[in-house]
Amino acid sequence: VCEKVWTDWEAFAQYAFNKSHSTCYAFVAYQTAWLKANYPAEYMASVLTHAQGTIDKITFFMEECRRMGIPVLGPDVNESSLQFSVNKQGQVRFGLGAVKGVGGAAVEAITQERGEAGPFSDVFDLVRRVNLRAANRKALESLALAGALDGLPRSHRAHFFHSPGEGKPTFMETLVRYGQQSQDSADSAQVNMFGDADSGAMIPEPPLPATEAWSALEKLHHEKDVIGFY
C-alpha cells in the first residue's frame, strides 16, 4: 500500500501544486494579465528590464512587443533611462544599462546632466557637459556602437572610430580630450574671480573627420557586439 501511495505521489508531484501555491500563481497571473491589457507598453518595458541579462528572453519579448504593435526603439542618450522605459509617444525605449561596457555610473552621469540642463544639442555639447570620469571613452564608444548617439545631429557612427593613420588617436579620443579641456577651463574660470565665465567655450571644437557612414551590415555587426542581438 505504501509503495502504491508513494508511486502516485511521485506522478502527482511532476505536475501539481498544492492549493496555496496554485492560488498565488492564479492571482499573479490575473495581475499581470490586467497590467498587460491596460498598460501594455509599461508592462513590456518592465518585462524587458527584468530579462535584461538574458538575450533569448529579450529577443522573445521584443517579438511579443512587435506582435502587440508596440515599437521598441534603440538606445538614445537624449531619451533612454538606465532601464527600459516608455516615452511620451508610448514607445518602449531601450535602456542604456543594457549596453555592454556602459556602467551604471556612466548612465547616471548622462541622465542626471540631461535632467538638470536639458537634452544634448550635439556630441560636442555632450562631452562638454557630462562627467567624463564616469562616462569615459570606453562607455561613449559602446554607446556609439549601439546607436545611442545617432539622434545627435552632424555626426554618425563611423566618425567616432575614424583615425587619420596608424597609431593616431580616433575621433572619439579627440572628442573626450576636447571635452575634458573644456571642463577644466570652465572650472578654472569659476575659481578665478577675474576669469572669463565663458572661457570653456573658447576651445575650438575639433572638426568632424571626412569619412563615409557605415553600411547597415556594419552597424548591425557592431550592435550585436554591444547589445547581444541585431
Side-chain angles (χ1 to χ4, degrees):
V1 172
C2 285
E3 286 181 356
K4 169 72 168 63
V5 171
W6 183 259
T7 303
D8 289 346
W9 277 1
E10 281 187 316
F12 180 77
Q14 289 176 1
Y15 69 90
F17 290 117
N18 60 44
K19 286 184 180 179
S20 61
H21 197 151
S22 59
T23 301
C24 293
Y25 262 44
F27 185 52
V28 170
Y30 165 76
Q31 288 177 315
T32 53
W34 186 89
L35 287 168
K36 187 175 181 181
N38 290 278
Y39 298 93
E42 288 79 1
Y43 174 75
M44 292 308 297
S46 177
V47 170
L48 283 162
T49 294
H50 185 68
Q52 201 160 279
T54 311
I55 300 303
D56 291 345
K57 287 187 176 181
I58 287 275
T59 306
F60 174 81
F61 289 128
M62 285 182 68
E63 285 296 329
E64 177 66 1
C65 286
R66 200 168 288 124
R67 185 195 69 78
M68 296 167 66
I70 301 171
V72 179
L73 308 179
D76 187 301
V77 291
N78 270 335
E79 192 169 74
S80 293
S81 303
L82 175 65
Q83 300 174 334
F84 286 83
S85 56
V86 180
N87 64 16
K88 294 177 181 177
Q89 290 75 41
Q91 303 161 320
V92 174
R93 178 63 80 174
F94 211 88
L96 297 180
V99 180
K100 293 177 188 173
V102 182
V107 177
E108 185 179 355
I110 291 168
T111 54
Q112 182 178 340
E113 175 59 32
R114 189 181 73 207
E116 291 175 356
F120 306 106
S121 59
D122 55 29
V123 71
F124 302 104
D125 186 43
L126 175 71
V127 296
R128 281 194 299 264
R129 288 168 49 190
V130 169
N131 181 353
L132 295 173
R133 291 178 181 81
N136 57 24
R137 176 178 61 85
K138 292 296 292 181
L140 292 174
E141 284 178 345
S142 292
L143 290 172
L145 293 172
L149 307 183
D150 285 4
L152 300 176
R154 301 166 58 188
S155 56
H156 54 71
R157 299 186 203 185
H159 279 140
F160 304 113
F161 302 94
H162 179 270
S163 172
E166 189 175 349
K168 299 289 181 66
T170 63
F171 184 64
M172 183 63 84
E173 292 176 282
T174 302
L175 262 180
V176 171
R177 191 158 55 243
Y178 159 77
Q180 196 60 65
Q181 288 174 346
S182 296
Q183 292 180 22
D184 291 344
S185 180
D187 289 343
S188 64
Q190 288 176 7
V191 298
N192 179 2
M193 62 182 294
F194 299 109
D196 178 6
D198 294 320
S199 60
M202 298 299 290
I203 299 174
E205 296 176 354
L208 286 164
T211 183
E212 292 288 324
W214 285 343
S215 66
L217 194 63
E218 193 165 3
K219 286 181 181 179
L220 290 170
H221 170 72
H222 292 300
E223 283 177 15
K224 178 76 161 57
D225 287 340
V226 293
I227 297 177
F229 51 87
Y230 297 109

